[in-house]
Structure formats: structure tokens, C-alpha cells
Amino acid sequence: MILQLSQFHFPDDPARLFPDSPERDLYLEIGFGDGRFWPQYLQSFEQPPNYLGVEVSGASMQKAQRRLERLKIGNAHLTKLPALVMLDAVIPEQSLSGIIVNFPDPWPKQDHLDMRLLRVPFFRLAASRLKAGGAVLLTTDHEEYFEFACREAQESGVMTVERGTAPPAALETKYAVKWRELGLDVQHARFTPTAHPALPRPDIRPYPNAALPQETDAVPHAILTNSQQLDLSDFEKSAVRGPGYTVVLLDAYRSLRRPELTVLAHIEEGELTQEVLVGITHRSDGSTLVRLAKFGGPIITAGVKAAVAAVTAELQQRGGVITHTGY
Ligand SMILES: C[S@@+](CC[C@H](N)C(=O)[O-])C[C@H]1O[C@@H](n2cnc3c(N)ncnc32)[C@H](O)[C@@H]1O
């Protein structure tokens, strides 16, 4: 099944994600491409483990999903997310038996090295999310990235590095076949945690959903008075930066049906990017409600709260008076 970010809990319980096989091991594959690896790899298990796949390419998602359906592979979920967001926000501590990375994008240029996935922060996060006996399995054709990843794993202080032979399934992925045809060698390493660091978890939650407990039910909002006449017709694109986030208020739109305006905001927080709508509703009691809109299934993060605060500040600058904030 394809899961959206807003369908997860933070962190999520593997037993909730895989109710038919809650006791099985859980593997995470990062950048599964067209999804060839997992159907082959799971043949090496007596009982198929649970599988989560993360990809940032929508086209790859569809190909991999069709493959899982065609081969009738169950207890497998795919999601379109950057790997670090999945590991950081969704995966619980010490829950994974394996993290698979086959032929990661090498980012070979010197000034792109910080785009690489397999750096110290990844290894620390991986060590926190892997359980005893679990490991990161890396297979790549890129010798320089391979050596870089081994050094970073060692520098993380929480991984041992064991170079070895790639599992046969990793030699049959789309990129494995491509590089083999070009005569390139493949490197493989197994990174095993020596510690499971306790890392702070991000404070994020999905937009309220009836299935979630009550305490997650607060949506960032504010109430103002003296702002009913404000229509933001002089609105200009603006940016707000805070710890770990950048919010850009891109544009404002007027509803044709209701006394409502909507502001479109773009939010970047590390690898997580969201576009959200913030509604401004002029209410019959004379107040104005500024509130995150449900549209698009936003995830409530510090950046999203800051977007609601930034829209509130726009109204305040034009004479609105805040009577209540909930962000
Ligand atoms: C070179 S391809 C390898 C695909 C596949 N593993 C294979 O061996 O054929 C790298 C894949 O990683 C995906 N990717 C890149 N950065 C990612 C990230 N931060 N999180 C998840 N996937 C990512 C890309 O979209 C791409 O499909």
C-alpha cells in the first residue's frame, strides 16, 4: 500500500502498520527505485519480514507499487518521503532489523558532498532505530562514495564496518544491472550499531484525524479582532526564518463563496518540504480566525506553526488585534 506522510503516527507502531504480521522483523529500504530488490531479497527468508520502502521519485513509487501488486507481495508499504524524515519522525527506536541502501545517488561534486545520505547524522539515526542484531546494508558501484560512507560510519562512533559480498538480490536491481553492463565493480558493507543513541524526536503530528487520540487535536490557529475589513490586497511574498525552518508566504487568494482568504505557504525544514494553506475566516461575531487548513493533509511542525504565526502577523501589521493564539 502507498502511505502518505499524514497517515503515519509519530513515531509509528509497526504493529499498527502491519496488523496481520505484527511480530515479524521490519526492514526499511531507502531509494528503492523501480522496486526490484525486495521481491528477490525476501526469498531468502522463511517468513517474509515486514517492509517499508521510501523513495523521493513519484514515478519510481508507481513502478514499485505495480510490481508489489503483480507479485502479490503483502506486508509491504511504500511512501514518498526523504529517508531522513522517515527515520527521524516515523520509525521508533530500536525497531528495524535492517536498513537497505542500494546504489544511493553519489553526489560526486565536492560542493555537493553534504547532499549525500550516508554521513554521520544518518549513521547515528540508523543506530538509534536499528535493534540489536540489525544493520545497514550498503551496496554501490561508486568506490569513492563507498569509502566516504565507511569513514563516516566510523566517525559516527556508533557503527562497526564490515566489508563483504553483496546479497544476490542487490546485484539485480535496475542500477546494479546498468553498472554491471558497463563493467563496473560493486562494493558492499554491513554497518552494525555498537550503541543505540537516544536522539531527541521531532515535535510533529498530523492534522487532527478522528483516528488519533484527543491530545493531538490542536490545530495551529489565532483569533483577532479589528481585522474584518482587512483583505490583504497589498500582500507581498515574504519569508520568515526560525530554528530549523524557513517559511515563505507565497500568495493570498480570496474565496468567491465565503468571507475567507487563504494564504499559500511553502515550508522547508531539513529534508521535509510542505506546501500548506492557512485560512483567514471573518466570523459573524466580528472576530477573524486564522487557522491551518486541512487541505493536503499537512503535518504540524514548528515551521507550520510559524506559517500560521506569520499570517497572523500580517493581519496584526494591518491593525488586527490578537485575542488568542494556539500555535
Ligand atoms: C541511483 S538510484 C538507485 C535505485 C535502486 N536502489 C536501484 O538500485 O536500482 C537512487 C534512488 O534513490 C532515491 N533517493 C534519492 N535521495 C533519496 C532520499 N533522501 N530518500 C529516499 N530516496 C532517495 C532516488 O529517487 C533514486 O530512485
Side-chain angles (χ1 to χ4, degrees), residues 54-112:
V54 274
E55 234 316 322
V56 289
S57 150
S60 294
M61 287 280 299
Q62 288 192 331
K63 283 186 200 153
Q65 175 63 14
R66 280 200 290 266
R67 189 185 301 276
L68 291 178
E69 279 169 9
R70 199 172 58 245
L71 299 174
K72 298 193 173 18
I73 290 171
N75 41 312
H77 295 311
L78 305 180
T79 189
K80 186 169 178 296
L81 265 187
L84 291 181
V85 176
M86 183 73 175
L87 277 170
D88 196 20
V90 177
I91 304 288
E93 282 77 5
Q94 297 185 47
S95 60
L96 294 173
S97 297
I99 300 175
I100 316 282
V101 191
N102 292 324
F103 303 91
D105 292 335
W107 296 103
K109 289 190 187 154
Q110 195 59 31
D111 53 352
H112 286 165

Coordinates of all heavy atoms in Angstrom, one line a residue, residues 54-112:
V54 N 11.1 3.7 1.2 CA 10.9 5.2 1.0 C 11.7 5.6 -0.3 O 12.8 5.1 -0.6 CB 11.6 6.1 2.1 CG1 10.6 6.3 3.2 CG2 12.9 5.5 2.6
E55 N 11.0 6.5 -1.0 CA 11.5 7.0 -2.3 C 11.1 8.4 -2.4 O 10.1 8.8 -1.9 CB 10.9 6.2 -3.5 CG 11.7 5.5 -4.5 CD 12.9 6.2 -5.0 OE1 12.8 7.5 -5.3 OE2 13.9 5.6 -5.3
V56 N 11.9 9.2 -3.1 CA 11.5 10.6 -3.4 C 11.0 10.8 -4.8 O 10.4 11.8 -5.1 CB 12.7 11.6 -3.1 CG1 13.0 11.7 -1.6 CG2 13.9 11.2 -3.9
S57 N 11.1 9.7 -5.6 CA 10.6 9.9 -7.0 C 9.2 9.2 -7.1 O 9.0 8.1 -6.9 CB 11.6 9.2 -8.0 OG 10.9 8.6 -9.1
G58 N 8.3 10.1 -7.6 CA 6.9 9.6 -7.7 C 6.8 8.5 -8.8 O 6.0 7.6 -8.7
A59 N 7.5 8.7 -9.9 CA 7.5 7.7 -11.0 C 7.9 6.3 -10.5 O 7.3 5.3 -10.8 CB 8.3 8.1 -12.2
S60 N 9.0 6.3 -9.7 CA 9.5 5.1 -9.1 C 8.5 4.4 -8.2 O 8.3 3.2 -8.2 CB 10.8 5.3 -8.3 OG 11.8 5.7 -9.1
M61 N 7.8 5.3 -7.4 CA 6.8 4.8 -6.5 C 5.7 3.9 -7.2 O 5.4 2.8 -6.8 CB 6.0 5.9 -5.9 CG 6.7 6.7 -4.9 SD 6.6 5.9 -3.3 CE 4.9 5.9 -3.0
Q62 N 5.3 4.5 -8.4 CA 4.2 3.8 -9.1 C 4.7 2.5 -9.7 O 4.0 1.5 -9.6 CB 3.7 4.7 -10.2 CG 2.9 5.8 -9.7 CD 2.2 6.6 -10.7 OE1 2.6 6.6 -11.9 NE2 1.1 7.2 -10.4
K63 N 6.0 2.5 -10.2 CA 6.5 1.3 -10.8 C 6.6 0.2 -9.7 O 6.3 -1.0 -9.9 CB 7.9 1.5 -11.4 CG 7.8 2.2 -12.7 CD 9.2 2.3 -13.3 CE 9.3 3.4 -14.3 NZ 10.6 4.0 -14.5
A64 N 7.2 0.6 -8.6 CA 7.4 -0.4 -7.5 C 6.1 -0.9 -6.9 O 6.0 -2.1 -6.6 CB 8.2 0.3 -6.4
Q65 N 5.1 0.0 -6.8 CA 3.8 -0.4 -6.3 C 3.2 -1.5 -7.3 O 2.6 -2.5 -6.8 CB 2.9 0.8 -6.1 CG 1.5 0.5 -5.7 CD 1.4 -0.2 -4.3 OE1 2.3 -0.2 -3.6 NE2 0.2 -0.8 -4.0
R66 N 3.3 -1.2 -8.6 CA 2.7 -2.1 -9.5 C 3.4 -3.5 -9.4 O 2.8 -4.5 -9.5 CB 2.8 -1.6 -11.0 CG 1.7 -0.5 -11.3 CD 1.5 -0.4 -12.7 NE 2.6 0.3 -13.3 CZ 2.7 1.6 -13.5 NH1 1.7 2.4 -13.2 NH2 3.8 2.2 -14.1
R67 N 4.7 -3.4 -9.2 CA 5.5 -4.7 -9.1 C 5.0 -5.5 -7.8 O 4.8 -6.7 -7.9 CB 7.0 -4.4 -9.0 CG 7.9 -5.6 -9.0 CD 9.3 -5.2 -8.8 NE 9.8 -4.2 -9.8 CZ 10.3 -4.5 -11.0 NH1 10.3 -5.8 -11.4 NH2 10.7 -3.6 -11.8
L68 N 4.8 -4.8 -6.7 CA 4.4 -5.5 -5.5 C 3.0 -6.1 -5.7 O 2.7 -7.2 -5.3 CB 4.3 -4.5 -4.3 CG 5.6 -4.0 -3.8 CD1 5.4 -3.0 -2.6 CD2 6.6 -5.1 -3.3
E69 N 2.1 -5.4 -6.4 CA 0.8 -5.9 -6.7 C 0.8 -7.1 -7.6 O 0.2 -8.1 -7.3 CB -0.1 -4.8 -7.3 CG -0.6 -3.8 -6.2 CD -1.3 -2.6 -6.8 OE1 -1.5 -2.6 -8.1 OE2 -1.6 -1.7 -6.1
R70 N 1.6 -7.0 -8.7 CA 1.7 -8.1 -9.6 C 2.2 -9.3 -9.0 O 1.7 -10.4 -9.2 CB 2.6 -7.6 -10.8 CG 2.5 -8.4 -12.0 CD 3.2 -7.8 -13.2 NE 4.7 -7.7 -13.0 CZ 5.3 -6.6 -12.9 NH1 4.7 -5.4 -13.1 NH2 6.6 -6.5 -12.7
L71 N 3.2 -9.2 -8.1 CA 3.8 -10.3 -7.5 C 3.1 -10.7 -6.2 O 3.5 -11.6 -5.5 CB 5.3 -10.1 -7.2 CG 6.2 -9.8 -8.4 CD1 7.6 -9.4 -8.0 CD2 6.2 -11.0 -9.3
K72 N 2.0 -10.0 -5.9 CA 1.2 -10.3 -4.7 C 2.0 -10.4 -3.4 O 1.9 -11.3 -2.6 CB 0.4 -11.6 -4.9 CG -0.6 -11.6 -6.1 CD -1.5 -12.8 -6.0 CE -2.6 -12.9 -7.0 NZ -2.6 -12.0 -8.2
I73 N 2.8 -9.3 -3.3 CA 3.7 -9.3 -2.1 C 3.0 -8.4 -1.0 O 2.6 -7.3 -1.2 CB 5.1 -8.6 -2.4 CG1 5.8 -9.7 -3.3 CG2 5.9 -8.3 -1.2 CD1 7.0 -9.2 -3.9
G74 N 2.7 -9.1 0.1 CA 2.0 -8.4 1.2 C 2.9 -7.8 2.2 O 4.1 -7.8 2.0
N75 N 2.4 -7.4 3.3 CA 3.1 -6.7 4.4 C 4.2 -5.8 3.9 O 5.3 -5.9 4.4 CB 3.5 -7.6 5.6 CG 4.0 -8.9 5.2 OD1 3.4 -9.6 4.4 ND2 5.1 -9.3 5.8
A76 N 3.8 -4.9 2.9 CA 4.8 -4.0 2.4 C 4.1 -2.7 2.1 O 3.1 -2.6 1.5 CB 5.4 -4.6 1.1
H77 N 4.7 -1.6 2.6 CA 4.2 -0.3 2.4 C 5.3 0.6 1.7 O 6.4 0.6 2.1 CB 3.8 0.4 3.7 CG 2.7 -0.3 4.5 ND1 1.5 -0.6 3.9 CD2 2.6 -0.6 5.8 CE1 0.8 -1.2 4.8 NE2 1.4 -1.2 5.9
L78 N 4.8 1.4 0.8 CA 5.8 2.4 0.1 C 5.3 3.8 0.5 O 4.1 4.0 0.7 CB 5.7 2.2 -1.4 CG 5.9 0.8 -1.9 CD1 5.8 0.9 -3.5 CD2 7.3 0.3 -1.5
T79 N 6.3 4.7 0.6 CA 5.9 6.1 0.9 C 6.8 7.0 0.2 O 8.0 6.7 0.0 CB 5.8 6.3 2.4 OG1 5.2 7.6 2.6 CG2 7.1 6.2 3.1
K80 N 6.3 8.2 -0.2 CA 7.1 9.1 -1.0 C 7.6 10.2 0.0 O 6.9 11.1 0.4 CB 6.3 9.8 -2.0 CG 7.0 10.8 -3.0 CD 6.2 11.2 -4.1 CE 6.9 12.1 -5.0 NZ 7.2 13.4 -4.4
L81 N 8.8 9.9 0.5 CA 9.4 10.7 1.6 C 10.9 10.7 1.5 O 11.5 9.6 1.2 CB 9.0 10.1 2.9 CG 7.8 10.5 3.7 CD1 7.9 9.8 5.1 CD2 7.9 12.0 3.9
P82 N 11.6 11.8 1.9 CA 13.0 11.7 2.1 C 13.3 10.7 3.2 O 12.7 10.7 4.3 CB 13.5 13.1 2.4 CG 12.3 14.0 2.0 CD 11.1 13.1 2.2
A83 N 14.4 9.9 3.1 CA 14.7 8.9 4.0 C 14.9 9.4 5.5 O 14.4 8.8 6.4 CB 16.0 8.2 3.6
L84 N 15.5 10.6 5.6 CA 15.8 11.0 6.9 C 14.5 11.4 7.7 O 14.5 11.3 8.9 CB 16.8 12.2 6.9 CG 18.2 11.9 6.5 CD1 19.1 13.2 6.5 CD2 18.8 10.8 7.4
V85 N 13.5 11.9 7.0 CA 12.3 12.3 7.6 C 11.6 11.0 8.1 O 11.1 10.9 9.3 CB 11.3 13.0 6.6 CG1 10.0 13.3 7.2 CG2 12.0 14.3 6.1
M86 N 11.6 9.9 7.3 CA 11.0 8.7 7.7 C 11.7 8.1 9.0 O 11.1 7.8 10.0 CB 11.2 7.7 6.6 CG 10.6 6.4 6.8 SD 8.8 6.5 6.7 CE 8.4 4.8 6.8
L87 N 13.1 8.1 9.0 CA 13.8 7.6 10.1 C 13.6 8.4 11.3 O 13.4 7.9 12.4 CB 15.3 7.5 9.8 CG 15.8 6.3 9.0 CD1 17.2 6.6 8.5 CD2 15.7 5.1 9.8
D88 N 13.7 9.7 11.1 CA 13.6 10.7 12.3 C 12.3 10.7 12.9 O 12.1 10.6 14.1 CB 14.0 12.0 11.7 CG 14.4 13.0 12.8 OD1 14.7 12.5 13.9 OD2 14.3 14.2 12.6
A89 N 11.2 10.8 12.1 CA 9.9 11.1 12.6 C 9.0 9.9 12.8 O 8.2 9.8 13.7 CB 9.2 12.1 11.7
V90 N 9.1 8.9 11.9 CA 8.2 7.8 11.9 C 8.7 6.5 12.6 O 7.9 5.9 13.4 CB 7.8 7.4 10.4 CG1 6.8 6.2 10.4 CG2 7.1 8.6 9.7
I91 N 9.9 6.2 12.3 CA 10.4 4.9 12.8 C 10.7 5.0 14.3 O 11.5 5.8 14.8 CB 11.7 4.5 12.1 CG1 11.5 4.5 10.5 CG2 12.3 3.2 12.6 CD1 10.6 3.3 10.1
P92 N 10.2 4.0 15.1 CA 10.5 4.1 16.6 C 11.9 3.6 16.8 O 12.6 2.9 16.0 CB 9.5 3.1 17.2 CG 8.6 2.6 16.1 CD 9.2 3.0 14.8
E93 N 12.4 3.9 18.0 CA 13.7 3.5 18.5 C 13.8 1.9 18.4 O 12.9 1.2 18.8 CB 14.0 3.9 19.9 CG 14.4 5.4 20.0 CD 13.2 6.4 19.9 OE1 12.1 5.9 19.8 OE2 13.5 7.6 19.9
Q94 N 15.0 1.5 18.0 CA 15.3 0.0 18.1 C 14.2 -0.9 17.5 O 13.8 -1.8 18.2 CB 15.7 -0.4 19.5 CG 16.9 0.4 19.9 CD 17.4 -0.1 21.3 OE1 17.5 -1.3 21.6 NE2 17.7 0.9 22.2
S95 N 13.7 -0.5 16.3 CA 12.6 -1.3 15.8 C 12.9 -2.0 14.5 O 12.2 -2.9 14.0 CB 11.4 -0.4 15.5 OG 11.7 0.6 14.7
L96 N 14.0 -1.6 13.8 CA 14.3 -2.1 12.5 C 15.4 -3.3 12.6 O 16.3 -3.2 13.3 CB 14.9 -1.0 11.6 CG 14.0 0.2 11.2 CD1 14.9 1.2 10.5 CD2 12.9 -0.3 10.3
S97 N 15.1 -4.3 11.7 CA 16.1 -5.3 11.6 C 17.1 -5.0 10.5 O 18.2 -5.6 10.5 CB 15.4 -6.7 11.3 OG 14.6 -7.0 12.3
G98 N 16.7 -4.2 9.6 CA 17.7 -3.8 8.5 C 17.3 -2.6 7.8 O 16.1 -2.2 7.7
I99 N 18.3 -1.8 7.4 CA 18.1 -0.7 6.5 C 18.9 -1.0 5.3 O 20.1 -1.2 5.3 CB 18.6 0.6 7.2 CG1 17.9 0.9 8.5 CG2 18.5 1.8 6.2 CD1 18.4 2.1 9.3
I100 N 18.2 -1.0 4.1 CA 18.9 -1.4 2.9 C 19.1 -0.1 2.0 O 18.1 0.6 1.8 CB 18.0 -2.3 2.0 CG1 17.4 -3.4 2.9 CG2 18.7 -2.8 0.8 CD1 18.3 -4.5 3.2
V101 N 20.3 0.1 1.5 CA 20.6 1.2 0.6 C 21.3 0.6 -0.6 O 22.5 0.3 -0.4 CB 21.4 2.3 1.3 CG1 21.4 3.5 0.4 CG2 20.9 2.7 2.7
N102 N 20.7 0.5 -1.7 CA 21.3 0.0 -2.9 C 21.5 1.2 -3.9 O 20.6 1.9 -4.3 CB 20.4 -1.0 -3.6 CG 20.3 -2.3 -2.7 OD1 21.2 -2.7 -2.1 ND2 19.1 -2.9 -2.7
F103 N 22.8 1.4 -4.3 CA 23.2 2.3 -5.3 C 22.6 3.7 -5.0 O 21.9 4.3 -5.8 CB 22.8 1.8 -6.7 CG 23.4 0.5 -7.0 CD1 22.7 -0.7 -6.6 CD2 24.7 0.4 -7.5 CE1 23.3 -1.9 -6.8 CE2 25.2 -0.9 -7.7 CZ 24.6 -2.0 -7.3
P104 N 23.0 4.3 -3.8 CA 22.5 5.6 -3.5 C 23.1 6.7 -4.5 O 24.2 6.4 -5.0 CB 23.0 5.9 -2.1 CG 24.2 4.9 -1.9 CD 23.9 3.7 -2.8
D105 N 22.3 7.7 -4.7 CA 22.8 8.8 -5.5 C 24.2 9.3 -5.0 O 24.3 9.6 -3.8 CB 21.9 10.0 -5.5 CG 20.6 9.6 -6.3 OD1 20.6 8.7 -7.1 OD2 19.5 10.3 -5.9
P106 N 25.3 9.3 -5.8 CA 26.6 9.5 -5.3 C 27.0 11.0 -5.0 O 27.9 11.2 -4.3 CB 27.5 8.9 -6.4 CG 26.7 9.0 -7.6 CD 25.3 8.9 -7.2
W107 N 26.3 11.9 -5.6 CA 26.6 13.3 -5.4 C 28.2 13.5 -5.5 O 28.8 13.9 -4.5 CB 26.1 13.9 -4.1 CG 24.6 13.9 -4.1 CD1 23.8 13.0 -3.5 CD2 23.7 14.8 -4.8 NE1 22.4 13.3 -3.7 CE2 22.4 14.4 -4.5 CE3 23.9 15.9 -5.6 CZ2 21.2 15.0 -5.0 CZ3 22.7 16.5 -6.1 CH2 21.5 16.1 -5.8
P108 N 28.8 13.3 -6.6 CA 30.3 13.3 -6.7 C 31.0 14.6 -6.6 O 32.1 14.7 -6.2 CB 30.5 12.6 -8.1 CG 29.3 12.9 -8.9 CD 28.2 13.0 -7.9
K109 N 30.3 15.7 -6.9 CA 30.9 17.0 -6.9 C 31.3 17.4 -5.5 O 30.5 17.2 -4.5 CB 30.1 18.1 -7.5 CG 29.9 18.0 -9.0 CD 29.2 19.2 -9.6 CE 28.9 19.0 -11.0 NZ 27.8 19.8 -11.5
Q110 N 32.4 18.0 -5.3 CA 32.9 18.4 -4.0 C 31.9 19.3 -3.2 O 31.7 19.1 -2.0 CB 34.3 19.2 -4.1 CG 35.1 19.3 -2.8 CD 35.4 17.9 -2.2 OE1 35.6 16.9 -2.9 NE2 35.5 17.9 -0.9
D111 N 31.3 20.2 -3.9 CA 30.4 21.1 -3.2 C 29.0 20.5 -3.0 O 28.0 21.2 -2.5 CB 30.3 22.5 -3.7 CG 30.0 22.5 -5.2 OD1 30.0 21.4 -5.8 OD2 29.8 23.6 -5.8
H112 N 28.8 19.2 -3.4 CA 27.5 18.6 -3.2 C 27.6 17.4 -2.1 O 26.7 16.7 -1.9 CB 27.0 17.9 -4.5 CG 26.5 18.9 -5.5 ND1 26.3 18.6 -6.8 CD2 26.1 20.2 -5.3 CE1 25.8 19.7 -7.4 NE2 25.7 20.7 -6.5

